[in-house]
Amino acid sequence: MFELIKNGGWMMLPIILCSIGAMGIIGERFWSLQRKKILPAELVPSIWQLHRDNKLDDVTLRRIKVSSPLGAVLSAGLANSEHGREMMKISIEEAGRQVVHDLERYLNSLGTIASITPLLGLLGTVIGMIKVFSAIMVHGVGDPGVLAGGISEALITTAAGLTVAIPSLIFHRYFERLVDEYVVKMEEESLHLIDVMHGDREEA
């Protein structure tokens, strides 16, 4: 493996750094975007129980807010439930924008890695081909060993760039879809909360 990296030339260094960054982001997002952390199943039933028992005081709302992203959105609505339906909706939307921003953390970086690593591989290919033609100018085409080094460097960097870019792109799309699903579910719970608090629907 070390020889393969060495033969790829200096362009392998940024590609390796990109691969380390991508693996770190993917691992962190898998850990942070677990469903039980974003949409805890017991949260909504516990909120309705506290609402029925008239126990939604400031301390309880703060605890709900820090419990999960869904809790942050719902607590914003609960804190403004006495100010009317429209104010409650505005508060939920403002909290929701912040939550979505947090859920999408590092995804732009992962998308950037997926975009630039093929270009880094292509740049390595170009550099390798320049070395091939430079060797041809100096030694002619009679020494295949001289030409093989540049061709090898060109092919290795291309393969390395694609090897990093393909899984990065796959996971970037996967996490984006996961965040979209979470956002839809939080919107659903928020609308249900607004309707119940203002008497348009009954608690499920």
Side-chain angles (χ1 to χ4, degrees):
M1 179 62 72
F2 178 75
E3 283 299 319
L4 193 65
I5 295 173
K6 184 179 178 181
N7 291 337
W10 65 271
M11 281 305 300
M12 290 295 291
L13 178 59
I15 293 174
I16 291 172
L17 293 176
C18 286
S19 70
I20 294 171
M23 287 188 293
I25 293 171
I26 291 168
E28 190 278 337
R29 289 292 83 191
F30 265 121
W31 176 257
S32 299
L33 294 178
Q34 296 179 65
R35 188 178 185 85
K36 63 182 180 181
K37 291 185 176 183
I38 308 300
L39 306 170
E42 73 282 355
L43 178 62
V44 174
S46 68
I47 288 176
W48 296 134
Q49 185 61 48
L50 291 168
H51 174 61
R52 284 192 294 267
D53 297 340
N54 199 26
K55 294 181 178 179
L56 288 172
D57 54 21
D58 291 340
V59 175
T60 303
L61 288 177
R62 281 195 294 270
R63 188 174 68 248
I64 293 171
K65 181 178 180 179
V66 300
S67 66
S68 64
L70 176 60
V73 173
L74 297 182
S75 66
L78 291 167
N80 292 277
S81 60
E82 297 179 356
H83 300 292
R85 181 189 183 95
E86 191 62 31
M87 180 58 68
M88 192 176 178
K89 185 176 181 181
I90 291 172
S91 301
I92 286 175
E93 288 175 349
E94 290 176 352
R97 282 193 289 269
Q98 180 60 48
V99 166
V100 171
H101 180 268
D102 293 340
L103 293 179
E104 292 178 340
R105 184 182 302 160
Y106 306 130
L107 292 189
N108 279 341
S109 299
L110 186 60
T112 300
I113 290 172
S115 300
I116 66 171
T117 44
L119 298 178
L120 292 173
L122 179 60
L123 180 57
T125 299
V126 172
I127 292 172
M129 296 309 296
I130 290 173
K131 289 182 179 180
V132 169
F133 288 112
S134 297
I136 290 175
M137 290 176 62
V138 175
H139 303 284
V141 294
D143 188 355
V146 174
L147 305 180
I151 296 174
S152 174
E153 179 176 336
L155 296 177
I156 290 172
T157 53
T158 300
L162 292 175
T163 301
V164 176
I166 292 171
S168 297
L169 180 60
I170 291 172
F171 283 110
H172 179 258
R173 296 287 177 84
Y174 168 75
F175 289 131
E176 279 191 332
R177 177 62 179 171
L178 192 62
V179 169
D180 288 343
E181 290 178 1
Y182 288 156
V183 170
V184 169
K185 183 62 178 176
M186 285 189 284
E187 288 177 351
E188 179 184 325
E189 294 292 350
S190 300
L191 290 173
H192 186 200
L193 176 70
I194 293 172
D195 291 342
V196 169
M197 297 296 288
H198 290 277
D200 297 328
R201 290 174 60 178
E202 296 182 355
E203 295 176 24

